[in-house]
Amino acid sequence: MATQHSKAAARLMIAPAVIVLLLWMIVPLVLTLYFSTLRYNLLMPGGTPFVGMENYQYFFTDPAFTTALVNTLLLVGGVLLITIIGGTLLALLLDQPMFGQGIVRLLVIAPFFVMPTVSALVWKNMFMNPVNGLFAHLARLIGIQPFDFLAVAPLASIILIVAWQWLPFATLILLTAMQSLDSEQIEAAEMDGAGALSRFFYIVVPHLSRAATVVILIQTIFLLSIFAEILVTTAGGPGVASTNLTYLVYIQSLLQFDVGLGSAGGVVAIILANIVAIFLMRMIGKNLDA
Amino acid sequence: MARSVTRSRKIVNTTIAWAIGLIIFFPILWTVLTSFKTEAEAISSPPSFLFFDWTFQNYEAVQERSNYFRHFWNSVVISVGSTILGLAIAVPAAWAMAFVPGKQTKNILMWMLSTKMLPAVGVLVPIYLLFRDMGLLDTRTGLVAVLMLINLPIIVWMLYTYFKEIPGEILEAARMDGATLRSEVTYVLLPMAVPGIASTMLLNIILAWNEAFWTLNLTAANAAPLTAFIASYSSPEGLFYAKLSAASTMAIAPILIMGWFSQKQLVRGLTFGAVK
């Protein structure tokens, strides 16, 4: 049906989007790679000599790098664990008949729409503050010592905040998937005498596995780049206790002005994200054929 | 659901679900309530939930502290501007890919998606330096461009999945009836495409409004949207809980309401059509 003429028009219509994205991807990427091979600090005047892999050597031998890498993985893993398990249970609950289902749904998904800096600051000050926070009030009420969350367990506290933000996303996707489950299948299993648990593990869980995979992959992409929550709560501290890879690169490039080192860190972050991206792309691509 | 459920079971479900829903929503509710307290009441122990002297003074104080509405307006300009610019580029592209698919269509779509996988921090340094050299640091123009680019893949994908659902037969029927290309577009295609475009627009305004990497790193006092403005409360100054709450309430209220209307689009947009 498509004529030669309409094909040309189509190419013209697609061109702007392709061109801007191509520029957006190639130019900074090439520059990052290039900068990562230079000794380039904005505070040091003079040349920017080529130093090969020196920045990478520096970056990998920096003890902060190991901490940041472990923290990144803990942050992603911790949030995924909470949101997938919590999201499945919540989706299961919200799928049951009840009064005011729509309103409960609105309450549950609300945190997703709160901007990261707001949720982080509200949790930090109004809940986790060891003197005036709500948790401290509660602790005093039952007679235990208030806990200084962000000083004693900074990473765990950030995981809690980020999990609160992402739980709605997991719940919403899993709920959408659950609603496409054929209720007759469950009824048939029920009639054959399958208990609630075996119905859950043999029918619901396999049905949800695809949606859960999508949730895991997409959240991982976003969670690898957690930044604002760390910036406004702990600024990566105490020390580097809550610094992730994104934050480490930010410190090196925009606070210490070490363009070369920051770029090397950026390249490492890109490689890490790409490992996840390959799996995600494969899943989405399969769906495109269907 | 054709299954019969006993009334008592339904009441149990309702109770548990509401309890959990309220716990999850509580931080937001608490922020809104605190925004109407005085600073002293905001930190009083034990805290008061509803029985305090309601006051609007924090909202005034926030505006006085540093022109709140300028930052609010920055957020509006940046999120709406980047979305409209993105739509202007994405609508023709998605349209062409949905209605005149070629051999490369799938590859182009997948490639666009892959640009979304590029972590922001990987290109932070060159973008920062380019912006500095081009005088785009701390300008709304710069942020509109960056946010448009990071959300463009999502916009194209969402539009594509919507346009794909418009049946091609309708176009053929219109053509058979002698419709010109122009009337085909205005009377047949546009009315069917508008809901999808509106949903895409809504979701992208939400995403741009809450974006907190580039907005924090590329702005200072001038172009800072609300994400960056709220971050300035991270270095406390005396009693500030009630003011923080007031600033936060105003920052999240409009987007929360839009978000509640766009639940379904959220699933479609953020899973790139992989979950419907």
Side-chain angles (χ1 to χ4, degrees):
Chain A
M1 186 187 99
T3 59
Q4 213 55 34
H5 181 69
S6 67
K7 278 228 168 100
R11 266 199 287 274
L12 210 64
M13 285 160 88
I14 300 173
V18 171
I19 292 168
V20 291
L21 277 178
L22 201 63
L23 287 176
W24 167 246
M25 195 167 96
I26 300 293
V27 174
L29 208 56
V30 169
L31 284 175
T32 303
L33 276 171
Y34 171 62
F35 289 157
S36 75
T37 61
L38 303 180
R39 184 177 299 134
Y40 185 4
N41 191 310
L42 294 177
L43 295 181
M44 282 187 254
T48 53
F50 178 81
V51 292
M53 301 301 278
E54 197 181 85
N55 285 317
Y56 291 92
Q57 236 166 30
Y58 230 86
F59 191 80
F60 283 121
T61 49
D62 182 357
F65 166 71
T66 324
T67 316
L69 192 64
V70 172
N71 285 345
T72 306
L73 297 177
L74 284 176
L75 186 57
V76 174
V79 174
L80 282 179
L81 200 68
I82 298 174
T83 53
I84 292 290
I85 294 176
T88 309
L89 294 176
L90 262 173
L92 213 55
L93 179 66
L94 289 175
D95 200 31
Q96 305 293 317
M98 68 179 75
F99 301 104
Q101 197 165 28
I103 301 173
V104 177
R105 219 175 126 130
L106 292 186
L107 295 179
V108 169
I109 64 165
F112 190 74
F113 302 109
V114 177
M115 54 177 64
T117 42
V118 165
S119 55
L121 280 180
V122 164
W123 276 97
K124 175 192 180 186
N125 293 301
M126 288 158 63
F127 287 88
M128 292 173 170
N129 185 291
V131 181
N132 295 322
L134 207 56
F135 290 154
H137 290 314
L138 284 175
R140 277 194 294 268
L141 203 67
I142 55 172
I144 56 171
Q145 192 65 31
F147 186 73
D148 191 351
F149 288 88
L150 286 161
V152 181
L155 194 65
S157 306
I158 291 173
I159 289 176
L160 180 71
I161 297 171
V162 177
W164 177 74
Q165 290 178 289
W166 283 92
L167 183 62
F169 176 75
T171 307
L172 199 58
I173 307 267
L174 292 168
L175 183 61
T176 309
M178 209 172 278
Q179 281 164 346
S180 69
L181 179 62
D182 191 0
S183 67
E184 278 173 22
Q185 212 182 342
I186 298 241
E187 274 167 54
E190 218 170 348
M191 285 212 245
D192 290 344
L197 271 183
S198 48
R199 264 177 301 170
F200 176 70
F201 282 108
Y202 293 110
I203 299 178
V204 178
V205 168
H207 180 76
L208 287 187
S209 64
R210 193 192 144 73
T213 315
V214 173
V215 171
I216 291 172
L217 294 170
I218 290 173
Q219 280 200 37
T220 306
I221 297 284
F222 281 94
L223 296 175
L224 283 173
S225 317
I226 289 290
F227 171 75
E229 290 85 343
I230 296 175
L231 176 77
V232 300
T233 52
T234 63
V240 285
S242 57
T243 298
N244 69 351
L245 204 51
T246 303
Y247 202 78
L248 183 65
V249 175
Y250 159 77
I251 293 175
Q252 287 164 344
S253 45
L254 293 198
L255 297 185
Q256 296 168 357
F257 299 102
D258 196 330
V259 172
L261 192 57
S263 297
V267 173
V268 175
I270 292 172
I271 293 170
L272 197 64
N274 268 305
I275 298 172
V276 182
I278 291 169
F279 290 101
L280 178 58
M281 300 277 291
R282 210 173 279 170
M283 281 206 66
I284 293 172
K286 264 189 202 138
N287 199 61
L288 206 61
D289 293 325
Chain B
M1 270 258 188
R3 297 159 71 205
S4 60
V5 180
T6 59
R7 197 175 161 76
S8 62
R9 170 84 190 281
K10 202 168 168 182
I11 289 173
V12 171
N13 286 342
T14 308
T15 317
I16 300 173
W18 275 86
I20 293 177
L22 285 172
I23 290 173
I24 292 175
F25 188 70
F26 185 74
I28 298 172
L29 180 68
W30 190 240
T31 307
V32 176
L33 287 176
T34 306
S35 74
F36 293 109
K37 296 176 179 178
T38 60
E39 291 293 358
E41 260 168 334
I43 58 161
S44 71
S45 180
S48 48
F49 279 83
L50 291 170
F51 305 105
F52 52 84
D53 292 321
W54 290 64
T55 170
F56 277 96
Q57 70 185 33
N58 302 309
Y59 287 88
E60 287 164 38
V62 165
Q63 167 65 15
E64 273 164 29
R65 175 180 174 269
S66 62
N67 200 347
Y68 182 89
F69 287 104
R70 190 176 69 198
H71 301 295
F72 190 91
W73 183 240
N74 284 341
S75 271
V76 172
V77 170
I78 291 165
S79 57
V80 176
S82 67
T83 303
I84 289 177
L85 187 61
L87 281 174
I89 297 174
V91 168
W95 192 281
M97 286 193 273
F99 293 117
V100 197
K103 281 185 211 118
Q104 294 302 318
T105 301
K106 189 190 161 186
N107 289 338
I108 296 176
L109 274 169
M110 292 311 286
W111 168 75
M112 284 186 173
L113 183 60
S114 76
T115 66
K116 186 71 196 157
M117 313 286 167
L118 193 67
V121 76
V123 293
L124 171 64
V125 177
I127 293 296
Y128 186 88
L129 294 179
L130 282 174
F131 266 47
R132 188 196 59 180
D133 296 342
M134 289 155 70
L136 284 173
L137 278 183
D138 201 17
T139 64
R140 293 193 296 221
T141 317
L143 273 187
V144 165
V146 167
L147 292 196
M148 183 277 281
L149 287 163
I150 63 167
N151 285 329
L152 191 59
I154 295 185
I155 302 185
V156 172
W157 265 83
M158 267 185 93
L159 289 174
Y160 175 77
T161 61
Y162 280 113
F163 290 165
K164 258 304 206 216
E165 284 168 11
I166 299 176
E169 291 84 18
I170 287 191
L171 300 186
E172 275 174 48
R175 238 167 267 159
M176 297 266 220
D177 291 344
T180 60
L181 184 67
R182 206 180 132 168
S183 54
E184 187 184 309
V185 169
T186 4
Y187 297 111
V188 185
L189 279 176
L190 269 186
M192 296 182 81
V194 162
I197 296 178
S199 309
T200 309
M201 188 166 165
L202 204 60
L203 179 69
N204 276 279
I205 291 176
I206 295 172
L207 290 178
W209 185 278
N210 289 340
E211 202 284 332
F213 181 81
W214 294 110
T215 51
L216 288 174
N217 280 317
L218 296 180
T219 63
N222 270 323
L226 288 170
T227 43
F229 167 71
I230 301 279
S232 72
Y233 276 96
S234 61
S235 38
E237 28 189 272
L239 291 176
F240 69 108
Y241 283 17
K243 281 192 274 293
L244 167 66
S245 298
S248 301
T249 302
M250 285 191 282
I252 61 179
I255 233 59
L256 189 56
I257 292 163
M258 284 173 76
W260 276 337
F261 282 108
S262 67
Q263 294 182 47
K264 286 247 162 59
Q265 290 73 17
L266 182 82
V267 176
R268 187 197 280 251
L270 286 180
T271 62
F272 299 96
V275 174
K276 272 181 200 157

